[in-house]
Amino acid sequence: MVSKAFTFPRSHFIGFDHVWTEIEKLQDVAENSKLYPPHNVVRHTDEEFAIEMAIAGYKKEDLDVNVREGILIVTADVSKEEREYIHKGISAKKFRRTFRLSEHVVVNGADFRDGLLVINLKVVIPEEKRPRKIQIG
């Protein structure tokens, strides 16, 4: 049996524009996740983790890391080198990778070492959103 893709007409959902926007952003991030460069997501604790991007062949000055509207954007713009290669197996092309962050995830800094760009992330839940015990009076 072949299943048919079912789509929801947007006109039936009033006041859900923010949800459709999030779905479109997620679709963009999913398509982008298949692209260069490869990466790992490492969990250090329940609240701390990191994204490791394999970017050998780049200089720190070539890289840019930004967060905008809940999306982590990593870009590289490499200037042309005046070298003649007999074989060039290490890529150093322009790229743009995006990662959708949860509303409580903050970027805690980035390091570049040993050919890896490591972006440290932390889950910071505001006090008013944390579970709390209610005293029975």
Side-chain angles (χ1 to χ4, degrees):
M1 180 174 184
V2 177
S3 65
K4 295 180 182 179
F6 182 76
T7 58
F8 294 99
R10 289 181 94 162
S11 62
H12 293 176
F13 294 88
I14 309 303
F16 288 90
D17 290 338
H18 64 285
V19 174
W20 291 112
T21 301
E22 285 299 310
I23 290 170
E24 288 167 356
K25 285 180 184 177
L26 286 173
Q27 185 177 7
D28 290 344
V29 169
E31 289 172 9
N32 186 303
S33 68
K34 300 173 191 164
L35 303 177
Y36 178 85
H39 72 282
N40 297 327
V41 178
V42 181
R43 179 186 305 274
H44 297 296
T45 67
D46 285 342
E47 292 86 25
E48 297 179 323
F49 49 102
I51 297 172
E52 300 174 334
M53 297 181 74
I55 51 173
Y58 294 86
K59 296 180 207 146
K60 187 172 156 180
E61 302 82 43
D62 298 334
L63 304 171
D64 195 30
V65 179
N66 291 292
V67 177
R68 185 176 179 188
E69 298 178 8
I71 297 177
L72 172 65
I73 304 165
V74 181
T75 57
D77 191 6
V78 183
S79 56
K80 296 285 183 188
E81 284 189 84
E82 299 298 322
R83 298 169 90 180
E84 181 181 340
Y85 291 94
I86 295 170
H87 171 77
K88 187 167 181 359
I90 300 172
S91 180
K93 59 186 176 181
K94 286 175 135 181
F95 70 82
R96 182 178 192 270
R97 286 294 305 263
T98 58
F99 300 89
R100 182 72 174 117
L101 302 177
S102 169
E103 67 178 314
H104 302 300
V105 173
V106 295
V107 177
N108 231 13
D111 294 310
F112 181 59
R113 64 182 178 274
D114 302 328
L116 288 178
L117 174 63
V118 179
I119 303 166
N120 298 303
L121 306 167
K122 186 169 186 167
V123 178
V124 179
I125 300 174
E127 192 63 40
E128 65 271 6
K129 300 239 180 187
R130 292 179 189 218
R132 62 187 176 104
K133 183 163 179 77
I134 307 299
Q135 295 294 327
I136 301 172

